[in-house]
């Protein structure tokens, strides 16, 4: 009880005297700020609802914990983990803007996810509108130059594209379909992304 009172009081002082917003939890922030289009969710368009797939909230708990640096899981493609990851990225853009690397199994797939899922979610979120550049050319291709951070989209068959890039969040999805995995060396892209996190305090890896 005393902790909650003190935490709320400190938070109010921080919010009053700082331009950096006090983070809401992703579970609180997501439904209020992320709206899913019919293209993103044919069955459940509208406000993001984590209750439709409660298992994915473990990703949010990991991200908001200071106890863990890596989240590595094997999951069903129907679980909704990719959607949860995109919501997490938007939350990070709002409250902890650092460079981000998002990798998928191939260039075509990451382009599709970037163009049809991630970019519409970012540009449709009013809470992070101040991070979206007026120049639309900065949101094209595989590198999104947001205001205050850069989001790199890479295919894991071109893992070298992540070289020399430092980031606060690195996420790789569908590693079981990557060329490295098929060759029996799945760890290549994950190991490379680990190296990209070493220069950032509190950096997180999702795979």
């Amino acid at each position: 009880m005393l902790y909650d009172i003190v935490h709320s009081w400190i938070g109010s002082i921080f919010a009053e005297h700082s331009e950096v917003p006090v983070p809401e939890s992703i579970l609180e922030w997501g439904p209020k700020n992320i709206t899913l289009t019919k293209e993103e969710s044919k069955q459940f368009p509208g406000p993001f609802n984590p209750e439709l797939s409660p298992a994915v909230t473990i990703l949010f708990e990991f991200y908001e914990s200071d106890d863990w640096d890596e989240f590595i899981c094997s999951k069903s493609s129907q679980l909704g983990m990719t959607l949860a990851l995109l919501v997490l990225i938007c939350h990070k853009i709002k409250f902890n803007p650092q460079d981000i690397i998002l990798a998928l199994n191939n260039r075509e797939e990451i382009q599709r996810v970037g163009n049809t899922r991630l970019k519409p979610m970012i540009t449709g979120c009013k809470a992070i509108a101040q991070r979206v550049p007026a120049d639309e050319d900065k949101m094209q291709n595989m590198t999104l130059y947001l205001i205050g951070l850069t989001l790199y989209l890479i295919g894991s068959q071109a893992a070298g594209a992540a070289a020399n890039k430092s980031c606060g969040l690195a996420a790789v999805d569908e590693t079981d379909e990557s060329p490295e995995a098929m060759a029996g060396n799945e760890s290549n892209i994950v190991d490379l992304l680990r190296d990209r996190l070493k220069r950032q305090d509190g950096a997180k890896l999702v795979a």
Side-chain angles (χ1 to χ4, degrees):
M1 180 70 176
L2 179 60
Y3 170 82
D4 292 337
I5 294 172
V6 173
H7 186 269
S8 177
W9 175 68
I10 292 174
S12 65
I13 294 175
F14 189 82
E16 183 177 352
H17 297 284
S18 174
E19 295 181 357
V20 179
V22 177
E24 287 183 273
S25 72
I26 304 174
L27 281 176
E28 294 174 325
W29 185 85
K32 292 187 293 185
N33 293 281
I34 300 297
T35 300
L36 306 183
T37 64
K38 290 183 178 179
E39 290 74 18
E40 174 62 46
S41 178
K42 294 180 180 179
Q43 288 183 301
F44 303 104
F48 169 66
N49 183 0
E51 294 182 2
L52 295 174
S53 185
V56 303
T57 61
I58 191 174
L59 175 62
F60 302 156
E61 294 173 9
F62 152 77
Y63 177 74
E64 292 169 340
S65 171
D66 294 328
D67 297 328
W68 305 99
D69 298 327
E70 296 187 4
F71 178 90
I72 298 177
C73 72
S74 178
K75 58 181 176 55
S76 164
S77 61
Q78 303 301 316
L79 187 61
M81 194 67 78
T82 301
L83 172 58
L85 177 60
L86 300 183
V87 173
L88 185 158
I89 287 173
C90 290
H91 182 274
K92 182 171 179 60
I93 291 170
K94 171 66 177 178
F95 294 106
N96 186 20
Q98 296 174 308
D99 288 355
I100 300 167
I101 295 174
L102 177 60
L104 263 67
N105 53 305
N106 60 64
R107 181 181 176 87
E108 291 73 23
E109 182 64 10
I110 190 63
Q111 278 189 313
R112 185 190 68 80
V113 170
N115 289 330
T116 65
R117 302 184 67 181
L118 181 57
K119 292 178 190 177
M121 188 177 290
I122 291 173
T123 56
C125 179
K126 294 181 180 179
I128 56 177
Q130 73 275 18
R131 296 286 176 189
V132 177
D135 184 354
E136 294 183 0
D137 288 342
K138 293 185 177 181
M139 291 285 286
Q140 303 297 322
N141 301 318
M142 306 285 281
T143 304
L144 311 185
Y145 295 99
L146 298 166
I147 297 172
L149 72 153
T150 303
L151 209 166
Y152 302 99
L153 308 178
I154 67 172
S156 58
Q157 85 277 27
N164 302 318
K165 294 178 175 64
S166 178
C167 63
L169 173 66
V172 55
D173 199 6
E174 300 179 0
T175 53
D176 57 320
E177 298 181 16
S178 71
E180 292 89 348
M182 294 176 182
N185 191 16
E186 184 174 345
S187 63
N188 280 0
I189 180 65
V190 175
D191 287 344
L192 180 60
L193 292 180
R194 281 193 182 106
D195 289 340
R196 302 302 95 214
L197 301 172
K198 292 179 179 179
R199 299 176 185 175
Q200 298 278 357
D201 292 336
K204 301 277 188 175
L205 171 68
V206 177

